Amino acid sequence: GVRDVLFLYEENRCSMTYMYEYPEYLKIKLPKKTARRYPAYELYLYGEGNYAEENKNLLLTGIPVLFLPGNAGSYKQVRSLGSIALRKAEDVDFKYHFNFFSVNFNEELVALYGGSLQRQTKFVHECIKVILKLYRGREFAPSSVAIVGHSMGGLVARALLTLKNFKPELINLLITQATPHVAPVMPLDKYLTDFYTAVNNHWILKAQDLRNLTTLSVAGGFRDYQVRSGLAFLPRLSQHDSALSVVSSAVPRAWASTDHLSIVWCKELILATIRAFFDLIDENTRQITEDAKKRMSVLNHHFVRHPAKMFEENPEALTELTGAFIWITVKASKWTYSVYNDSDGKYFTFPLASHRKSYSHVYCENSMLDTSSWIYGCMNTNSSMCLEAADLSWRAELLPTTKIVMLKLQDYPSLSHIVIQVPPADGNKYTLGCEFFKEDSRTVQLPVTHLFSFGLSSSKIVLNSTGLLYNVQLQHFNQIYQAFKIYIESHCQSLKERKPSIYRLHIPWSHEDSITVAQAPSLAEISAKLHIAQPHNDCSLPELNIYSSPDCQYEVILKTSLLQVLGQIVRFHAGAFPVYIVSNILLTYGGQLSTLRSTGQCSDFSLELIRTAKPYKVELLISIVVFLQGFNWFREIWESLSLPEVDAAVLSSQDAWFPLVSLILFLFGTGIAYWSGVFFSTSLRLFSSLWLTLIRPTVLQKDKLITPRRLCGMISLALVSWTTCGAFAVLIIYLQYLFKVLKDSGHSKETSQNSSTHTVKAQGSRDSIPDATQSPSNSTTIAEAVNSLKMHITILNLFTWIVLLNLPSLIYWLKNLRYNVRLDPDPCRSTAVILVCILEILMNSSTSEVKSSKLLKIAAKVPLPLSVAMLAFGRMHLYRVPHFVTFSLLLHVLCCFV
């Protein structure tokens, strides 16, 4: 499954964008107050060559666009947009042009540490005010700024509207690239999840106020394994007319999936974006239009359905058919025509009266990919030629090698003829085709195979007729955990050169289509899986549209792909892996305490994991709670107890949950926990051997748990945690613990070796009775040391995951150390203080103190309910995991004293 997500995706079909002149970034001077408040952040203006020179005095006359980089992103990523916009402006002799600004967020890790998101949002607000001030007094001064946000930059842009003093009219267009709008990819701290909740709640509650803001979200598709496309779809609002979400594989003229970084430089996508920007300009104000309807129709034109024509806001209803063209009447229901070096223009007319009774639809295609009109509808009933006609080219749709029109005859009762225009072709070679058909004859239903068929069974269909179009409806394909391989084999009657076949997987409830172009005859393989599950109020069916070659037969075979099913599980739930791993280790830890209480010996980590980590112990209870939450009475009781919502119930409401996923993830967690235990103990053995060869250990001495020296160390680290960064103190105590266990491991090894040497000597000498009498206490000490070591290894294993979960805030703090010594806000400050105290005591404890404790029974039983709680409330809130572990270790500390 991991391999499927990380490696098995389509090749990169994006072209690279290149700068024609050397890119320059002009730093914009910010007001002193802003610069002092945000010392790590900067604002730049992008330029190249002469354009950059002209802008050095900041006398700007263009349209302002602000680029916001994402997690660890650079302000220099604006260059692809800026450079192509400059080339496009040169094409129109700078009648209109854009000024691209970019914010430097110091490449902060905002996807993993949410403490700076609010700061970034406020800085962007200040930048917008500074940018608009630069245009003050100009003839066509802008009153708003367009924003392009990559990754978390898109979320920061949406968060602007949550600021108290922000005026919504300051932005009228927002384009986000691979932005996780729905939820964070890794919810590692409370600030991150709270920020998401605030932004999404504001957008839902204040949907009416957002009608003047047009938002486009572009997702990368299956190549982007960092942000799955389902997260990039804007939360469904009642106002569908102001927001649009698309996957890059469905964007006309791009038709390519992009990874998380290539979405910023993918030439095909950048071209679509810049073309949209230029079509959005209002000729009167020379700025982006204030008309929200026009903005939406431009974005639909470039990102959803491209009719292979230049955008026009109000295309003329009727067009005059002029020119000395030959008029030819076609009465057949199916017609194809090849054009090559035709010197005469032609109009082919198709009278509709004779076809209306027999057929329901007409389908036409044209492989000439220019932007001129080519298909019309006539309304005069008598003549076989008409001078004025309705331009039906606006109903066309552009596909990779052809443009197509499909009309339902019933929707056009006033039309008498359809006219196809074939202009004189100078050296051009292209084909046209039209056919009338009944919808039923071209629509075939194919039930998908069951999830548990494991690819052993298949659904098969053979399309025998030789039409230009087929729609294969995929029945019961509506969940994210379904994944299929579709094989389409085309058999053709002759070996002549023919147009390629186009296969489109069309998902009607979201813009996530994918297109495959294949030569005919050939065998094509298509992966069918979803980014978003079918909404409950939707009953449409996904379709496989086959735009075929006329004399070919097609065989479609569909099989469940087990690898891709596992890939979907990883794609949707990889963020929850740490919870399942820690849950397994915690269960093992509880089991070790239990065997210590019952037998007086601490069992081995691997053996205890096999004995205690049973999915039914934790999963059953969670499943029962999720089931009961479907009832109102239970939900009311749950809310009255002020308990947070179970994460599995939230995922179920998002259609991202299914029964067996938790079991699979738990078993995956067991595997990782097992091998991490093996790795830990092996590494310790290796390093302790190295330690023994380098340093001769002193005799093991047992002293008090709390000494003045340790107390000073504890207080010092607590102060470090409080005054600098909690994660830093946690890392120091972790390394200290690791070193202590390493040392103790070496000590116990040396002691056991010495002991065995003494025993051999004792057996060889008759008068060594004192040695023999001392050996039982000596062996007890060794056994105690081994028991303690096993317990320490498990605690270290648990603690490793806490360190890893807190690592992002440490990296953020180290990166910003020159600006501020104290991390503020710090997600793990208070937890770090408690952990420092706990671990300072635990690292010096042994199992002998714990064995006789009155609290051991409770301490051994608590990890199980904690594991259940961790899986119930930690899947979508990873920052809760350290709290559960800390509580368990706190009980262990109390066992040392009570």
Side-chain angles (χ1 to χ4, degrees):
V2 171
R3 180 171 165 266
D4 177 69
V5 172
L6 298 182
F7 305 107
L8 302 181
Y9 42 68
E10 66 176 71
E11 60 181 18
N12 191 4
R13 297 209 295 261
C14 284
S15 310
M16 176 61 85
T17 44
Y18 293 99
M19 283 75 251
Y20 287 84
E21 295 169 280
Y22 192 77
E24 291 183 44
Y25 306 89
L26 179 67
K27 191 175 173 181
I28 306 290
K29 196 178 178 185
L30 298 168
K32 283 182 183 175
K33 191 180 172 185
T34 307
R36 205 166 42 246
R37 195 182 295 167
Y38 309 101
Y41 302 159
E42 295 163 325
L43 177 65
Y44 288 89
L45 172 66
Y46 178 80
E48 287 177 26
N50 292 335
Y51 169 75
E53 282 297 317
E54 288 165 15
N55 285 338
K56 277 187 176 167
N57 55 9
L58 292 177
L59 297 170
L60 306 177
T61 55
I63 302 162
V65 179
L66 179 60
F67 175 78
L68 305 179
N71 177 55
S74 167
Y75 65 95
K76 292 181 179 180
Q77 287 173 313
V78 72
R79 63 184 176 268
S80 295
L81 284 162
S83 185
I84 287 184
L86 188 59
R87 302 281 83 82
K88 180 88 173 160
E90 284 174 356
D91 289 349
V92 294
D93 293 327
F94 282 92
K95 182 184 177 184
Y96 311 115
H97 71 279
F98 288 85
N99 302 128
F100 275 85
F101 296 86
S102 185
V103 172
N104 178 14
F105 283 136
N106 193 30
E107 299 185 11
E108 290 177 341
L109 293 171
V110 281
L112 305 174
Y113 168 73
S116 63
L117 283 166
Q118 198 64 32
R119 199 180 303 129
Q120 286 192 1
T121 308
K122 287 174 180 173
F123 179 71
V124 172
H125 185 199
E126 296 300 321
C127 287
I128 290 170
K129 290 192 269 190
V130 169
I131 290 166
L132 292 175
K133 207 177 273 185
L134 293 172
Y135 294 86
R136 201 173 280 170
R138 303 283 186 273
E139 187 183 353
F140 296 104
S143 58
S144 63
V145 173
I147 295 181
V148 178
H150 172 240
S151 187
M152 293 299 285
L155 189 75
V156 168
R158 285 180 63 216
L160 283 167
L161 296 145
T162 64
L163 298 177
K164 282 180 185 175
N165 54 349
F166 184 78
K167 296 172 184 171
E169 57 270 19
L170 289 179
I171 47 172
N172 59 9
L173 177 68
L174 169 60
I175 296 176
T176 68
Q177 302 168 324
T179 297
H181 291 293
V182 179
V185 176
M186 293 289 279
L188 290 171
D189 66 59
K190 197 173 188 302
Y191 307 113
L192 194 57
T193 52
D194 286 354
F195 189 80
Y196 264 91
T197 306
V199 172
N200 285 333
N201 284 352
H202 183 90
W203 275 60
I204 290 164
L205 296 170
K206 300 285 173 75
Q208 292 289 336
D209 305 344
L210 301 174
R211 279 182 301 180
N212 290 327
L213 170 63
T214 304
T215 313
L216 167 71
S217 174
V218 183
F222 290 110
R223 273 188 67 86
D224 188 350
Y225 54 79
Q226 291 181 46
V227 175
R228 63 176 176 85
S229 296
L231 291 178
F233 277 67
L234 289 155
R236 287 194 176 92
L237 308 173
S238 51
Q239 262 64 40
H240 283 287
D241 54 351
S242 65
L244 180 64
S245 301
V246 296
V247 178
S248 61
S249 59
V251 174
R253 300 168 87 171
W255 296 300
S257 177
T258 62
D259 59 57
H260 197 62
L261 287 178
S262 70
I263 200 165
V264 174
W265 54 254
C266 179
K267 188 179 176 182
E268 289 76 7
L269 261 185
I270 300 295
L271 282 169
T273 309
I274 296 302
R275 287 177 188 131
F277 268 130
F278 275 86
D279 283 340
L280 285 163
I281 297 169
D282 185 330
E283 287 189 10
N284 300 321
T285 62
R286 300 217 172 174
Q287 294 295 327
I288 286 175
T289 179
E290 293 296 318
D291 182 353
K293 267 191 178 173
K294 182 186 173 181
R295 289 200 298 262
M296 212 57 206
S297 58
V298 168
L299 293 179
N300 272 300
H301 178 95
H302 289 283
F303 288 91
V304 178
R305 188 190 175 99
H306 198 297
K309 284 179 70 64
M310 305 295 261
F311 177 79
E312 286 179 39
E313 191 177 354
N314 297 307
E316 289 180 19
L318 294 171
T319 309
E320 283 187 19
L321 300 182
T322 54
F325 282 22
I326 303 163
W327 287 81
I328 302 166
T329 304
V330 180
K331 290 184 178 177
S333 63
K334 187 177 173 185
W335 167 86
T336 52
Y337 184 73
S338 294
V339 183
Y340 184 59
N341 269 349
D342 279 21
S343 54
D344 300 322
K346 298 180 181 71
Y347 284 124
F348 289 93
T349 66
F350 299 81
L352 297 180
S354 57
H355 295 305
R356 283 188 188 275
K357 290 173 188 174
S358 311
Y359 306 108
S360 62
H361 288 70
V362 59
Y363 165 83
C364 293
E365 59 185 22
N366 183 352
S367 66
M368 178 68 158
L369 301 180
D370 61 353
T371 57
S372 54
S373 296
W374 59 283
I375 182 166
Y376 303 91
C378 280
M379 282 167 247
N380 49 333
T381 49
N382 308 323
S383 170
S384 61
M385 56 183 281
C386 61
L387 302 173
E388 211 172 40
D391 190 350
L392 298 176
S393 307
W394 292 104
R395 300 274 181 275
E397 184 175 7
L398 183 65
L399 293 173
T401 59
T402 186
K403 47 191 181 186
I404 61 155
V405 173
M406 189 157 75
L407 306 171
K408 192 176 182 181
L409 297 177
Q410 201 178 324
D411 295 344
Y412 300 90
S414 58
L415 294 187
S416 61
H417 294 73
I418 279 176
V419 178
I420 302 280
Q421 180 182 5
V422 182
D426 302 323
N428 288 327
K429 188 176 182 181
Y430 61 98
T431 57
L432 299 106
C434 276
E435 67 170 334
F436 292 86
F437 62 89
K438 266 191 173 172
E439 191 178 18
D440 302 348
S441 67
R442 293 302 162 82
T443 305
V444 192
Q445 293 197 328
L446 182 68
V448 298
T449 49
H450 196 271
L451 180 68
F452 297 112
S453 65
F454 302 120
L456 299 172
S457 63
S458 62
S459 284
K460 182 178 171 182
I461 209 159
V462 179
L463 307 169
N464 286 317
S465 64
T466 54
L468 297 174
L469 168 76
Y470 302 99
N471 292 323
V472 180
Q473 293 183 336
L474 306 175
Q475 292 177 302
H476 320 300
F477 177 32
N478 50 21
Q479 297 298 332
I480 56 105
Y481 53 81
Q482 292 175 296
F484 307 99
K485 276 188 177 174
I486 302 174
Y487 301 94
I488 307 172
E489 191 169 6
S490 51
H491 306 277
C492 302
Q493 290 166 7
S494 61
L495 294 169
K496 65 175 184 180
E497 188 187 337
R498 56 175 57 77
K499 71 182 184 71
S501 302
I502 300 170
Y503 311 127
R504 171 164 67 177
L505 184 66
H506 173 61
I507 311 299
W509 55 83
S510 64
H511 302 296
E512 55 174 282
D513 295 8
S514 58
I515 291 179
T516 306
V517 180
Q519 293 301 320
S522 68
L523 174 66
E525 184 186 305
I526 297 169
S527 288
K529 47 197 174 191
L530 300 172
H531 294 293
I532 284 189
Q534 187 174 26
H536 298 296
N537 57 354
D538 194 305
C539 55
S540 53
L541 292 171
E543 285 184 339
L544 176 67
N545 306 135
I546 299 177
Y547 302 97
S548 55
S549 293
D551 60 341
C552 297
Q553 290 183 344
Y554 291 83
E555 186 178 47
V556 181
I557 300 168
L558 181 142
K559 290 181 179 179
T560 297
S561 171
L562 181 62
L563 269 182
Q564 291 187 49
V565 169
L566 293 172
Q568 286 291 80
I569 292 171
V570 173
R571 183 173 284 110
F572 279 79
H573 300 287
F577 282 168
V579 185
Y580 285 92
I581 297 162
V582 176
S583 173
N584 272 281
I585 300 169
L586 199 58
L587 285 171
T588 309
Y589 167 68
Q592 282 181 320
L593 289 176
S594 183
T595 51
L596 184 68
R597 180 175 162 267
S598 58
T599 64
Q601 300 293 319
C602 183
S603 55
D604 195 56
F605 178 85
S606 306
L607 295 170
E608 199 57 53
L609 178 75
I610 293 160
R611 192 180 72 82
T612 54
K614 299 282 187 269
Y616 61 81
K617 289 183 180 179
V618 287
E619 290 302 332
L620 193 64
L621 190 62
I622 296 170
S623 299
I624 291 166
V625 170
V626 172
F627 172 73
L628 289 173
Q629 282 206 329
F631 301 101
N632 288 331
W633 60 268
F634 185 81
R635 221 176 303 130
E636 283 167 16
I637 295 167
W638 191 267
E639 284 166 11
S640 66
L641 294 169
S642 300
L643 289 167
E645 203 171 354
V646 177
D647 289 349
V650 178
L651 288 164
S652 292
S653 67
Q654 293 174 0
D655 295 312
W657 197 250
F658 46 100
L660 281 174
V661 70
S662 200
L663 177 66
I664 293 165
L665 293 173
F666 190 90
L667 295 174
F668 187 82
T670 309
I672 297 284
Y674 179 86
W675 288 108
S676 70
V678 170
F679 172 77
F680 237 91
S681 47
T682 311
S683 304
L684 271 170
R685 247 182 250 130
L686 196 73
F687 285 113
S688 61
S689 303
L690 195 68
W691 176 263
L692 273 174
T693 51
L694 295 172
I695 298 155
R696 299 310 298 170
T698 53
V699 181
L700 263 174
Q701 287 181 334
K702 187 82 191 85
D703 54 2
K704 290 179 183 176
L705 279 175
I706 300 175
T707 61
R709 191 181 167 191
R710 281 172 196 159
L711 199 61
C712 286
M714 210 185 285
I715 294 164
S716 319
L717 279 177
L719 279 170
V720 166
S721 168
W722 205 258
T723 55
T724 58
C725 169
F728 182 51
V730 167
L731 183 67
I732 292 170
I733 195 81
Y734 173 72
L735 295 172
Q736 202 179 322
Y737 199 159
L738 198 63
F739 182 69
K740 178 84 168 59
V741 171
L742 203 65
K743 213 160 73 170
D744 289 356
S745 176
H747 279 231
S748 58
K749 209 170 192 179
E750 180 72 10
T751 314
S752 63
Q753 281 172 2
N754 290 345
S755 154
S756 60
T757 312
H758 281 305
T759 313
V760 170
K761 279 181 183 176
Q763 285 167 351
S765 171
R766 285 176 186 174
D767 53 9
S768 56
I769 296 156
D771 276 348
T773 52
Q774 282 172 15
S775 62
S777 65
N778 201 13
S779 62
T780 309
T781 312
I782 294 162
E784 206 58 66
V786 170
N787 281 339
S788 298
L789 190 63
K790 285 176 181 175
M791 188 57 78
H792 286 313
I793 287 171
T794 305
I795 293 169
L796 258 179
N797 204 343
L798 261 180
F799 196 44
T800 304
W801 287 96
I802 293 179
V803 172
L804 289 173
L805 290 172
N806 288 323
L807 212 54
S809 61
L810 175 67
I811 295 165
Y812 179 90
W813 173 73
L814 288 169
K815 216 171 179 189
N816 289 274
L817 202 53
R818 58 189 166 143
Y819 303 112
N820 208 335
V821 176
R822 190 172 196 251
L823 178 64
D824 192 43
D826 188 345
C828 59
R829 184 172 289 137
S830 48
T831 316
V833 173
I834 299 165
L835 277 170
V836 161
C837 301
I838 287 172
L839 290 161
E840 190 66 61
I841 297 166
L842 278 184
M843 74 170 78
N844 297 296
S845 70
S846 71
T847 48
S848 57
E849 292 133 352
V850 180
K851 233 186 273 185
S852 55
S853 172
K854 294 172 185 174
L855 287 174
L856 185 57
K857 190 179 178 182
I858 298 166
K861 286 189 175 176
V862 158
L864 176 60
L866 284 179
S867 290
V868 175
M870 197 188 290
L871 290 185
F873 306 116
R875 283 183 186 120
M876 296 174 72
H877 306 85
L878 290 177
Y879 60 86
R880 290 174 180 165
V881 171
H883 303 157
F884 295 114
V885 175
T886 305
F887 184 74
S888 197
L889 295 179
L890 184 63
L891 283 174
H892 191 139
V893 168
L894 292 173
C895 287
C896 297
F897 296 103
V898 181

